[in-house]
Amino acid sequence: MSTEKPEDMCTTESSPSGSSSRRVSTRTIKRKRFDDEILESSMSSSSLVGTPCKQEKTEPVPPQPIVKAEPVERPKPAENPPESVPSEKKRVPVKSKRKKLKARSYAAWRDHGRWTPQDDLLLIQGVQQTFDIQHVFWGIKLSTRFTLKELQERWHALLYDPVLSVKATDAIQQLNPEVRSRLEKKALFSGDEESLLATIPAPEKADQKPDLLVFKQVLDQNRSRFHFARTPHSLLKHWTLMRHCHLLENQCVPMEKLQEQLVNFSDVEENIHDKDLKDTFDETLDLELEVIHRQRLQKVKQLEQEVDLLRGALDKCGGAAASTDFGLGVIAILKGRTVQFLMKSREISLGRQTKDNQVDVDLAKEGPAWKVSRRQGMIRCRENGDFILINEAKRPLYVDGKAVLKNQKAKLNHNSVVEISNLRFVFLVNPNEEAKRKHEINRQISGVP
Protein backbone atom coordinates (compact mmCIF):
# COMPACT_ATOMS: atom_id res chain seq x y z
CA MET A 1 0.00 0.00 0.00
CA SER A 2 1.14 3.45 -0.72
CA THR A 3 1.07 5.75 2.26
CA GLU A 4 0.90 9.51 1.96
CA LYS A 5 2.60 11.63 4.53
CA PRO A 6 1.05 15.11 5.07
CA GLU A 7 3.38 18.01 5.17
CA ASP A 8 3.51 20.65 7.93
CA MET A 9 2.35 24.22 7.61
CA CYS A 10 4.10 26.28 4.95
CA THR A 11 7.04 28.36 6.17
CA THR A 12 9.70 30.38 4.51
CA GLU A 13 12.33 27.61 4.76
CA SER A 14 11.92 23.83 4.28
CA SER A 15 14.03 21.09 5.84
CA PRO A 16 16.47 19.20 3.60
CA SER A 17 14.40 16.00 3.70
CA GLY A 18 11.33 17.84 2.49
CA SER A 19 9.19 16.25 5.21
CA SER A 20 8.58 19.38 7.32
CA SER A 21 9.06 23.13 7.08
CA ARG A 22 9.80 25.68 9.80
CA ARG A 23 10.55 29.37 10.20
CA VAL A 24 14.24 30.06 10.80
CA SER A 25 15.95 33.34 11.65
CA THR A 26 19.32 33.99 10.05
CA ARG A 27 20.32 36.74 12.48
CA THR A 28 23.01 35.93 15.06
CA ILE A 29 21.59 38.31 17.68
CA LYS A 30 17.83 38.44 17.93
CA ARG A 31 16.25 41.71 18.84
CA LYS A 32 12.98 42.26 20.61
CA ARG A 33 10.00 42.72 18.33
CA PHE A 34 7.76 45.74 18.51
CA ASP A 35 4.04 45.54 19.18
CA ASP A 36 3.03 46.05 15.52
CA GLU A 37 5.38 43.24 14.40
CA ILE A 38 3.89 40.87 16.98
CA LEU A 39 0.38 41.73 15.74
CA GLU A 40 1.29 41.15 12.06
CA SER A 41 2.95 37.79 12.83
CA SER A 42 -0.11 36.60 14.78
CA MET A 43 -2.47 37.61 11.93
CA SER A 44 -0.35 35.84 9.31
CA SER A 45 -0.19 32.64 11.38
CA SER A 46 -4.02 32.62 11.80
CA SER A 47 -4.53 32.96 8.03
CA LEU A 48 -2.12 30.12 7.35
CA VAL A 49 -4.04 27.75 9.64
CA GLY A 50 -7.24 28.07 7.59
CA THR A 51 -5.59 27.33 4.18
CA PRO A 52 -3.74 24.01 4.07
CA CYS A 53 -0.83 23.65 1.68
CA LYS A 54 -0.73 21.29 -1.26
CA GLN A 55 0.23 17.73 -0.42
CA GLU A 56 2.68 15.86 -2.63
CA LYS A 57 2.32 12.14 -3.10
CA THR A 58 5.35 10.12 -2.18
CA GLU A 59 6.27 6.96 -4.09
CA PRO A 60 6.10 3.68 -2.17
CA VAL A 61 9.43 2.42 -0.85
CA PRO A 62 10.07 -1.25 -1.81
CA PRO A 63 10.58 -3.55 1.18
CA GLN A 64 14.20 -4.55 1.86
CA PRO A 65 15.13 -8.19 2.61
CA ILE A 66 15.87 -8.99 6.23
CA VAL A 67 19.45 -10.21 6.83
CA LYS A 68 20.17 -12.40 9.85
CA ALA A 69 23.14 -11.27 11.90
CA GLU A 70 25.74 -13.99 12.52
CA PRO A 71 26.91 -14.42 16.13
CA VAL A 72 30.31 -12.88 16.80
CA GLU A 73 32.72 -14.80 18.99
CA ARG A 74 34.19 -12.78 21.85
CA PRO A 75 37.92 -13.23 22.54
CA LYS A 76 38.64 -15.20 25.69
CA PRO A 77 40.62 -13.38 28.41
CA ALA A 78 44.27 -14.39 28.55
CA GLU A 79 45.45 -16.50 31.46
CA ASN A 80 48.40 -14.21 32.22
CA PRO A 81 47.21 -10.67 31.55
CA PRO A 82 49.93 -8.27 30.49
CA GLU A 83 51.27 -6.00 33.14
CA SER A 84 49.51 -2.67 33.27
CA VAL A 85 51.52 0.26 32.04
CA PRO A 86 52.18 2.64 34.91
CA SER A 87 50.07 5.72 34.55
CA GLU A 88 51.57 9.14 34.48
CA LYS A 89 52.10 10.95 37.76
CA LYS A 90 49.22 13.04 38.90
CA ARG A 91 49.80 16.64 38.10
CA VAL A 92 49.65 18.99 41.04
CA PRO A 93 47.08 21.70 40.40
CA VAL A 94 48.41 25.14 39.66
CA LYS A 95 46.50 26.73 42.53
CA SER A 96 48.22 24.61 45.19
CA LYS A 97 51.64 25.51 43.72
CA ARG A 98 50.80 29.19 43.83
CA LYS A 99 49.66 28.89 47.43
CA LYS A 100 52.95 27.23 48.41
CA LEU A 101 54.99 29.91 46.66
CA LYS A 102 52.96 32.64 48.34
CA ALA A 103 53.43 31.00 51.75
CA ARG A 104 57.20 30.80 51.22
CA SER A 105 57.67 34.36 50.03
CA TYR A 106 55.15 35.97 52.40
CA ALA A 107 57.65 36.59 55.16
CA ALA A 108 60.10 38.15 52.71
CA TRP A 109 57.57 40.33 50.88
CA ARG A 110 55.87 41.44 54.10
CA ASP A 111 58.63 44.00 54.83
CA HIS A 112 59.69 44.54 51.21
CA GLY A 113 58.83 48.23 51.34
CA ARG A 114 61.16 48.83 54.29
CA TRP A 115 64.23 47.37 52.56
CA THR A 116 66.15 49.72 50.30
CA PRO A 117 68.78 48.79 47.69
CA GLN A 118 71.44 50.26 50.02
CA ASP A 119 70.35 47.87 52.80
CA ASP A 120 70.48 44.88 50.43
CA LEU A 121 73.97 45.82 49.26
CA LEU A 122 75.27 46.21 52.83
CA LEU A 123 73.68 42.90 53.87
CA ILE A 124 75.17 40.99 50.93
CA GLN A 125 78.64 42.50 51.48
CA GLY A 126 78.55 41.83 55.21
CA VAL A 127 77.58 38.16 54.82
CA GLN A 128 80.18 37.63 52.10
CA GLN A 129 82.87 39.13 54.34
CA THR A 130 82.06 37.57 57.72
CA PHE A 131 79.87 34.54 56.83
CA ASP A 132 77.80 35.31 59.91
CA ILE A 133 74.49 37.22 59.95
CA GLN A 134 74.82 37.91 63.67
CA HIS A 135 78.08 39.83 63.06
CA VAL A 136 76.32 41.76 60.31
CA PHE A 137 73.50 42.57 62.75
CA TRP A 138 76.03 43.98 65.24
CA GLY A 139 78.41 45.74 62.85
CA ILE A 140 76.28 47.38 60.13
CA LYS A 141 73.92 50.32 60.52
CA LEU A 142 70.98 50.03 58.12
CA SER A 143 68.30 52.57 57.22
CA THR A 144 65.81 50.92 59.60
CA ARG A 145 66.40 49.13 62.89
CA PHE A 146 65.77 45.56 61.71
CA THR A 147 65.82 42.57 64.05
CA LEU A 148 68.07 39.56 63.66
CA LYS A 149 65.13 37.44 62.51
CA GLU A 150 64.26 39.98 59.80
CA LEU A 151 67.86 39.92 58.54
CA GLN A 152 67.76 36.11 58.34
CA GLU A 153 64.43 36.16 56.46
CA ARG A 154 65.73 38.76 54.01
CA TRP A 155 68.94 36.81 53.32
CA HIS A 156 66.92 33.60 52.82
CA ALA A 157 64.63 35.44 50.37
CA LEU A 158 67.59 36.85 48.41
CA LEU A 159 68.98 33.33 48.05
CA TYR A 160 65.87 31.29 47.27
CA ASP A 161 63.19 33.68 46.00
CA PRO A 162 63.90 34.20 42.27
CA VAL A 163 61.53 37.13 41.76
CA LEU A 164 62.74 39.09 44.77
CA SER A 165 66.42 38.40 44.12
CA VAL A 166 66.14 39.62 40.52
CA LYS A 167 64.39 42.80 41.63
CA ALA A 168 66.96 43.40 44.38
CA THR A 169 69.94 42.95 42.01
CA ASP A 170 68.36 45.26 39.43
CA ALA A 171 67.80 47.92 42.09
CA ILE A 172 71.41 47.59 43.32
CA GLN A 173 72.75 47.94 39.76
CA GLN A 174 70.69 51.10 39.23
CA LEU A 175 72.27 52.83 42.24
CA ASN A 176 74.34 55.94 41.73
CA PRO A 177 78.04 54.98 41.33
CA GLU A 178 79.08 57.41 44.06
CA VAL A 179 76.53 55.99 46.49
CA ARG A 180 77.55 52.46 45.63
CA SER A 181 81.26 53.16 46.12
CA ARG A 182 80.52 54.83 49.47
CA LEU A 183 78.56 51.76 50.61
CA GLU A 184 81.27 49.38 49.41
CA LYS A 185 83.79 51.20 51.57
CA LYS A 186 81.63 50.40 54.61
CA ALA A 187 82.08 46.65 54.16
CA LEU A 188 83.00 44.77 57.32
CA PHE A 189 86.53 43.46 57.78
CA SER A 190 86.88 39.71 57.51
CA GLY A 191 88.93 37.55 59.85
CA ASP A 192 91.62 37.11 57.21
CA GLU A 193 91.97 40.87 56.77
CA GLU A 194 92.23 41.46 60.51
CA SER A 195 94.90 38.75 60.83
CA LEU A 196 96.98 40.55 58.19
CA LEU A 197 96.55 43.90 59.95
CA ALA A 198 97.49 42.34 63.29
CA THR A 199 100.96 41.50 61.89
CA ILE A 200 101.79 45.21 61.52
CA PRO A 201 103.71 46.07 64.72
CA ALA A 202 102.67 48.99 66.91
CA PRO A 203 105.21 51.72 67.74
CA GLU A 204 106.60 51.95 71.25
CA LYS A 205 104.97 55.31 71.98
CA ALA A 206 101.21 55.40 72.17
CA ASP A 207 100.96 58.68 70.21
CA GLN A 208 102.93 57.41 67.22
CA LYS A 209 101.35 55.74 64.20
CA PRO A 210 103.02 53.72 61.44
CA ASP A 211 103.59 55.34 58.08
CA LEU A 212 100.84 55.16 55.48
CA LEU A 213 103.30 53.54 53.04
CA VAL A 214 103.38 50.44 55.26
CA PHE A 215 99.65 49.88 54.77
CA LYS A 216 99.95 50.61 51.07
CA GLN A 217 102.67 47.97 50.77
CA VAL A 218 100.59 45.41 52.68
CA LEU A 219 97.60 46.18 50.46
CA ASP A 220 99.62 45.77 47.24
CA GLN A 221 101.16 42.47 48.38
CA ASN A 222 97.82 40.96 49.49
CA ARG A 223 95.37 42.51 47.06
CA SER A 224 93.50 39.23 46.56
CA ARG A 225 92.93 38.80 50.30
CA PHE A 226 91.58 42.31 50.87
CA HIS A 227 88.25 43.72 49.74
CA PHE A 228 88.46 45.61 46.43
CA ALA A 229 87.26 48.85 48.07
CA ARG A 230 90.01 48.92 50.71
CA THR A 231 92.40 51.88 50.77
CA PRO A 232 95.49 52.59 52.88
CA HIS A 233 93.51 55.14 54.88
CA SER A 234 90.75 52.63 55.71
CA LEU A 235 93.37 50.06 56.75
CA LEU A 236 95.06 52.61 59.01
CA LYS A 237 91.73 53.52 60.61
CA HIS A 238 90.86 49.89 61.34
CA TRP A 239 94.38 49.17 62.55
CA THR A 240 94.06 52.06 65.04
CA LEU A 241 90.82 50.55 66.33
CA MET A 242 92.46 47.14 66.74
CA ARG A 243 95.35 48.77 68.57
CA HIS A 244 92.94 50.49 70.95
CA CYS A 245 91.34 47.11 71.72
CA HIS A 246 94.80 45.41 72.14
CA LEU A 247 94.31 42.99 69.23
CA LEU A 248 97.74 43.35 67.62
CA GLU A 249 100.29 40.52 67.83
CA ASN A 250 103.02 42.50 69.61
CA GLN A 251 100.58 43.95 72.15
CA CYS A 252 99.84 42.75 75.63
CA VAL A 253 96.92 43.77 77.79
CA PRO A 254 97.99 45.97 80.75
CA MET A 255 97.62 44.57 84.25
CA GLU A 256 95.26 47.36 85.26
CA LYS A 257 92.77 46.35 82.60
CA LEU A 258 93.21 42.68 83.50
CA GLN A 259 92.33 43.46 87.10
CA GLU A 260 89.29 45.40 85.95
CA GLN A 261 88.18 42.46 83.84
CA LEU A 262 88.46 39.99 86.74
CA VAL A 263 85.00 39.65 88.27
CA ASN A 264 83.37 37.43 90.85
CA PHE A 265 80.91 34.67 90.15
CA SER A 266 78.17 36.68 91.83
CA ASP A 267 78.81 39.63 89.49
CA VAL A 268 78.53 37.37 86.46
CA GLU A 269 75.37 35.83 87.84
CA GLU A 270 73.79 39.25 88.28
CA ASN A 271 74.50 40.14 84.64
CA ILE A 272 72.78 37.00 83.38
CA HIS A 273 69.16 37.59 82.42
CA ASP A 274 66.43 35.04 81.97
CA LYS A 275 65.73 36.35 78.49
CA ASP A 276 69.19 35.27 77.36
CA LEU A 277 68.71 31.75 78.72
CA LYS A 278 65.18 31.10 77.50
CA ASP A 279 64.15 32.05 74.02
CA THR A 280 60.43 31.57 74.60
CA PHE A 281 57.63 33.85 73.56
CA ASP A 282 54.49 34.16 75.63
CA GLU A 283 51.98 36.54 74.07
CA THR A 284 49.70 36.78 77.12
CA LEU A 285 52.64 37.54 79.41
CA ASP A 286 53.88 40.27 77.09
CA LEU A 287 50.43 41.86 76.99
CA GLU A 288 50.20 41.82 80.78
CA LEU A 289 53.64 43.40 81.11
CA GLU A 290 52.69 46.12 78.63
CA VAL A 291 49.52 46.89 80.59
CA ILE A 292 51.48 47.07 83.86
CA HIS A 293 54.11 49.32 82.28
CA ARG A 294 51.39 51.63 80.94
CA GLN A 295 49.71 51.83 84.33
CA ARG A 296 53.01 52.71 86.00
CA LEU A 297 53.66 55.48 83.50
CA GLN A 298 50.20 56.91 84.10
CA LYS A 299 50.78 56.81 87.85
CA VAL A 300 54.15 58.56 87.51
CA LYS A 301 52.56 61.26 85.35
CA GLN A 302 49.79 61.75 87.89
CA LEU A 303 52.31 62.08 90.73
CA GLU A 304 54.32 64.64 88.76
CA GLN A 305 51.19 66.72 88.25
CA GLU A 306 50.40 66.54 91.96
CA VAL A 307 53.95 67.62 92.82
CA ASP A 308 53.60 70.61 90.49
CA LEU A 309 50.35 71.61 92.16
CA LEU A 310 51.92 71.30 95.63
CA ARG A 311 54.87 73.42 94.57
CA GLY A 312 52.56 76.06 93.20
CA ALA A 313 50.58 76.06 96.45
CA LEU A 314 53.79 76.39 98.48
CA ASP A 315 54.95 79.25 96.30
CA LYS A 316 51.62 81.00 96.79
CA CYS A 317 51.98 80.65 100.54
CA GLY A 318 55.22 82.63 100.41
CA GLY A 319 57.82 79.89 100.26
CA ALA A 320 59.10 80.97 96.87
CA ALA A 321 59.32 84.63 97.83
CA ALA A 322 61.23 83.79 100.97
CA SER A 323 63.76 81.68 99.07
CA THR A 324 64.25 84.31 96.34
CA ASP A 325 66.78 87.13 96.67
CA PHE A 326 65.84 90.20 94.67
CA GLY A 327 68.84 92.08 93.33
CA LEU A 328 69.25 95.76 92.60
CA GLY A 329 66.95 97.06 89.90
CA VAL A 330 64.90 93.83 89.71
CA ILE A 331 61.20 94.64 89.44
CA ALA A 332 59.91 91.05 89.36
CA ILE A 333 61.01 87.46 88.83
CA LEU A 334 59.51 84.71 86.66
CA LYS A 335 60.60 81.61 88.55
CA GLY A 336 60.56 78.08 87.17
CA ARG A 337 61.82 74.74 88.41
CA THR A 338 65.42 75.16 87.31
CA VAL A 339 65.74 78.72 85.98
CA GLN A 340 64.48 82.09 87.14
CA PHE A 341 64.23 85.08 84.82
CA LEU A 342 64.82 88.58 86.21
CA MET A 343 62.63 91.45 85.00
CA LYS A 344 64.68 94.67 85.12
CA SER A 345 62.80 96.69 82.51
CA ARG A 346 59.16 97.71 82.36
CA GLU A 347 58.50 95.41 79.40
CA ILE A 348 59.94 91.98 78.50
CA SER A 349 59.15 89.50 75.72
CA LEU A 350 58.58 85.74 76.21
CA GLY A 351 59.16 82.98 73.66
CA ARG A 352 61.59 80.56 72.08
CA GLN A 353 64.83 82.12 70.91
CA THR A 354 66.22 81.35 67.43
CA LYS A 355 68.77 82.89 65.10
CA ASP A 356 66.15 85.09 63.49
CA ASN A 357 64.12 85.82 66.64
CA GLN A 358 65.59 87.33 69.82
CA VAL A 359 63.54 87.40 73.03
CA ASP A 360 64.24 88.60 76.56
CA VAL A 361 63.06 85.36 78.23
CA ASP A 362 64.04 82.16 76.38
CA LEU A 363 61.63 79.53 77.71
CA ALA A 364 63.68 76.71 76.14
CA LYS A 365 66.16 77.07 79.02
CA GLU A 366 63.52 75.86 81.46
CA GLY A 367 62.61 72.63 79.66
CA PRO A 368 61.20 71.12 76.45
CA ALA A 369 59.72 74.01 74.49
CA TRP A 370 58.80 72.53 71.10
CA LYS A 371 55.18 73.66 71.64
CA VAL A 372 56.19 77.19 72.64
CA SER A 373 55.96 79.86 69.94
CA ARG A 374 58.94 81.97 69.02
CA ARG A 375 56.95 85.05 70.05
CA GLN A 376 54.74 83.75 72.85
CA GLY A 377 53.83 86.91 74.74
CA MET A 378 54.87 89.98 76.73
CA ILE A 379 54.87 91.09 80.37
CA ARG A 380 54.32 94.83 80.80
CA CYS A 381 54.41 96.98 83.91
CA ARG A 382 51.94 99.89 83.88
CA GLU A 383 52.43 103.27 85.52
CA ASN A 384 50.13 102.36 88.41
CA GLY A 385 52.31 99.34 89.25
CA ASP A 386 50.09 96.59 87.76
CA PHE A 387 51.70 93.79 85.71
CA ILE A 388 49.91 92.67 82.55
CA LEU A 389 50.55 89.46 80.56
CA ILE A 390 49.67 89.69 76.82
CA ASN A 391 49.36 86.51 74.73
CA GLU A 392 50.64 86.97 71.15
CA ALA A 393 50.61 83.29 70.03
CA LYS A 394 47.90 80.90 68.84
CA ARG A 395 48.17 78.61 71.85
CA PRO A 396 46.45 79.80 75.02
CA LEU A 397 48.27 80.68 78.23
CA TYR A 398 46.99 80.04 81.72
CA VAL A 399 47.22 82.47 84.62
CA ASP A 400 46.05 80.94 87.90
CA GLY A 401 44.10 78.33 85.93
CA LYS A 402 42.31 80.84 83.66
CA ALA A 403 42.92 80.67 79.90
CA VAL A 404 44.34 83.69 78.11
CA LEU A 405 43.65 83.46 74.37
CA LYS A 406 45.44 85.21 71.52
CA ASN A 407 45.65 89.01 71.80
CA GLN A 408 44.08 88.90 75.26
CA LYS A 409 45.44 90.30 78.51
CA ALA A 410 45.56 89.05 82.09
CA LYS A 411 46.68 90.73 85.31
CA LEU A 412 49.63 89.21 87.16
CA ASN A 413 49.67 89.39 90.93
CA HIS A 414 52.31 88.32 93.40
CA ASN A 415 52.65 84.47 93.42
CA SER A 416 50.55 84.09 90.26
CA VAL A 417 51.10 80.74 88.49
CA VAL A 418 51.75 81.11 84.77
CA GLU A 419 51.44 77.97 82.56
CA ILE A 420 52.97 78.10 79.07
CA SER A 421 52.54 74.78 77.23
CA ASN A 422 54.00 72.17 79.63
CA LEU A 423 56.11 74.70 81.56
CA ARG A 424 55.06 76.32 84.84
CA PHE A 425 56.34 79.54 86.37
CA VAL A 426 55.60 81.58 89.48
CA PHE A 427 55.50 85.35 89.07
CA LEU A 428 57.05 87.14 92.06
CA VAL A 429 56.94 90.91 92.58
CA ASN A 430 59.73 92.70 94.44
CA PRO A 431 58.04 94.20 97.55
CA ASN A 432 60.63 96.98 97.87
CA GLU A 433 60.16 98.17 94.30
CA GLU A 434 56.41 97.92 94.69
CA ALA A 435 56.50 100.09 97.86
CA LYS A 436 58.68 102.70 96.12
CA ARG A 437 56.35 102.80 93.15
CA LYS A 438 53.27 103.29 95.36
CA HIS A 439 55.04 106.05 97.28
CA GLU A 440 55.86 107.88 94.02
CA ILE A 441 52.27 107.53 92.80
CA ASN A 442 50.90 108.94 96.04
CA ARG A 443 53.35 111.83 95.91
CA GLN A 444 52.35 112.67 92.34
CA ILE A 445 48.68 112.56 93.29
CA SER A 446 49.16 114.79 96.33
CA GLY A 447 51.37 117.19 94.34
CA VAL A 448 54.23 117.14 96.83
CA PRO A 449 57.59 117.78 95.07
Side-chain angles (χ1 to χ4, degrees):
M1 293 176 67
S2 64
T3 59
E4 292 183 359
K5 188 177 180 181
E7 290 184 351
D8 297 337
M9 301 299 294
C10 291
T11 57
T12 57
E13 183 179 349
S14 62
S15 62
S17 61
S19 61
S20 62
S21 59
R22 58 191 179 86
R23 185 182 179 90
V24 181
S25 176
T26 58
R27 289 196 298 271
T28 56
I29 300 174
K30 296 181 180 180
R31 64 176 178 83
K32 292 183 179 181
R33 293 185 295 176
F34 297 100
D35 295 340
D36 53 353
E37 293 179 350
I38 295 171
L39 185 61
E40 290 176 0
S41 62
S42 62
M43 292 175 63
S44 62
S45 62
S46 61
S47 61
L48 288 171
V49 170
T51 57
C53 296
K54 295 180 180 180
Q55 296 181 358
E56 294 179 358
K57 295 182 179 180
T58 57
E59 295 180 358
V61 180
Q64 295 181 357
I66 299 170
V67 182
K68 293 183 178 180
E70 297 180 356
V72 181
E73 294 183 358
R74 293 181 180 178
K76 296 181 179 181
E79 294 180 358
N80 297 326
E83 296 180 358
S84 60
V85 181
S87 60
E88 295 181 357
K89 293 182 179 180
K90 293 182 179 179
R91 294 182 179 179
V92 181
V94 181
K95 290 184 178 179
S96 61
K97 287 184 178 179
R98 289 176 181 173
K99 286 181 180 178
K100 289 180 180 178
L101 290 173
K102 285 182 180 179
R104 289 177 185 173
S105 60
Y106 174 72
W109 281 98
R110 182 177 54 192
D111 294 334
H112 177 67
R114 298 169 60 197
W115 285 90
T116 59
Q118 293 88 339
D119 296 337
D120 290 335
L121 180 59
L122 290 173
L123 177 61
I124 293 168
Q125 285 184 162
V127 175
Q128 288 177 351
Q129 286 290 108
T130 60
F131 302 101
D132 192 352
I133 295 181
Q134 197 166 11
H135 289 176
V136 176
F137 176 69
W138 290 337
I140 288 180
K141 185 179 180 181
L142 302 175
S143 62
T144 309
R145 191 175 293 178
F146 295 104
T147 60
L148 180 61
K149 187 176 180 181
E150 289 174 343
L151 289 181
Q152 291 174 351
E153 290 177 355
R154 184 65 176 182
W155 177 250
H156 189 273
L158 290 173
L159 286 178
Y160 301 109
D161 195 337
V163 179
L164 193 142
S165 61
V166 169
K167 286 188 176 182
T169 50
D170 292 343
I172 291 170
Q173 290 175 0
Q174 291 176 5
L175 284 174
N176 191 3
E178 295 180 359
V179 176
R180 188 168 180 177
S181 63
R182 188 174 68 251
L183 295 174
E184 287 170 350
K185 290 178 182 178
K186 293 182 180 180
L188 295 175
F189 277 78
S190 62
D192 191 15
E193 291 176 340
E194 288 184 346
S195 62
L196 287 173
L197 291 176
T199 57
I200 300 175
E204 295 180 357
K205 294 183 180 181
D207 299 337
Q208 293 181 353
K209 291 182 180 180
D211 193 4
L212 198 64
L213 295 174
V214 177
F215 295 96
K216 186 176 181 181
Q217 185 178 1
V218 172
L219 185 63
D220 294 338
Q221 291 177 357
N222 304 280
R223 176 59 69 177
S224 59
R225 297 174 66 179
F226 282 101
H227 191 264
F228 63 89
R230 301 289 184 228
T231 59
H233 291 281
S234 63
L235 297 182
L236 176 59
K237 186 177 179 181
H238 194 73
W239 180 89
T240 308
L241 183 62
M242 291 176 64
R243 179 185 179 182
H244 180 71
C245 298
H246 302 280
L247 297 176
L248 302 180
E249 290 183 355
N250 64 337
Q251 275 185 316
C252 58
V253 182
M255 292 300 296
E256 296 177 357
K257 291 196 174 182
L258 283 174
Q259 290 176 1
E260 292 177 0
Q261 292 175 2
L262 294 174
V263 291
N264 300 328
F265 178 76
S266 58
D267 297 337
V268 176
E269 192 176 8
E270 288 178 358
N271 294 329
I272 295 174
H273 301 284
D274 295 336
K275 294 180 180 179
D276 300 336
L277 299 176
K278 296 180 181 179
D279 193 13
T280 56
F281 177 74
D282 192 354
E283 187 175 359
T284 56
L285 181 61
D286 290 345
L287 290 174
E288 289 178 1
L289 291 174
E290 286 181 3
V291 172
I292 293 169
H293 182 63
R294 203 173 300 159
Q295 291 176 354
R296 287 178 179 175
L297 290 176
Q298 290 177 357
K299 193 172 182 180
V300 169
K301 191 174 182 180
Q302 185 179 359
L303 290 173
E304 287 179 352
Q305 292 176 357
E306 291 177 359
V307 169
D308 293 339
L309 292 174
L310 290 172
R311 284 182 178 176
L314 288 172
D315 294 342
K316 283 185 177 180
C317 293
S323 61
T324 304
D325 295 327
F326 292 91
L328 294 174
V330 177
I331 303 172
I333 292 177
L334 192 65
K335 186 176 181 181
R337 286 186 183 179
T338 57
V339 183
Q340 59 182 10
F341 302 96
L342 306 179
M343 183 176 177
K344 294 184 178 181
S345 60
R346 301 183 68 85
E347 187 178 285
I348 59 172
S349 58
L350 311 176
R352 179 167 45 86
Q353 189 167 345
T354 59
K355 293 181 179 179
D356 302 328
N357 183 42
Q358 300 293 328
V359 292
D360 298 325
V361 176
D362 186 9
L363 299 176
K365 295 180 181 179
E366 171 63 16
W370 57 83
K371 291 185 179 180
V372 177
S373 300
R374 287 175 290 181
R375 189 76 176 182
Q376 186 67 45
M378 295 183 68
I379 297 176
R380 186 176 298 167
C381 180
R382 291 180 175 177
E383 293 179 358
N384 60 356
D386 294 338
F387 292 87
I388 303 298
L389 175 63
I390 305 170
N391 186 10
E392 297 179 353
K394 294 181 180 179
R395 293 182 179 273
L397 306 179
Y398 294 89
V399 177
D400 294 331
K402 296 181 181 179
V404 182
L405 302 179
K406 186 178 180 181
N407 297 328
Q408 289 186 358
K409 301 176 183 179
K411 186 179 178 181
L412 293 176
N413 299 318
H414 185 63
N415 286 328
S416 292
V417 178
V418 181
E419 297 181 20
I420 303 172
S421 183
N422 56 347
L423 305 176
R424 289 192 179 189
F425 301 91
V426 179
F427 186 76
L428 304 174
V429 180
N430 191 351
N432 299 327
E433 293 290 331
E434 189 176 8
K436 289 180 182 178
R437 196 177 301 107
K438 286 181 180 180
H439 180 66
E440 289 177 2
I441 292 169
N442 293 331
R443 191 176 60 182
Q444 289 175 3
I445 292 171
S446 60
V448 178

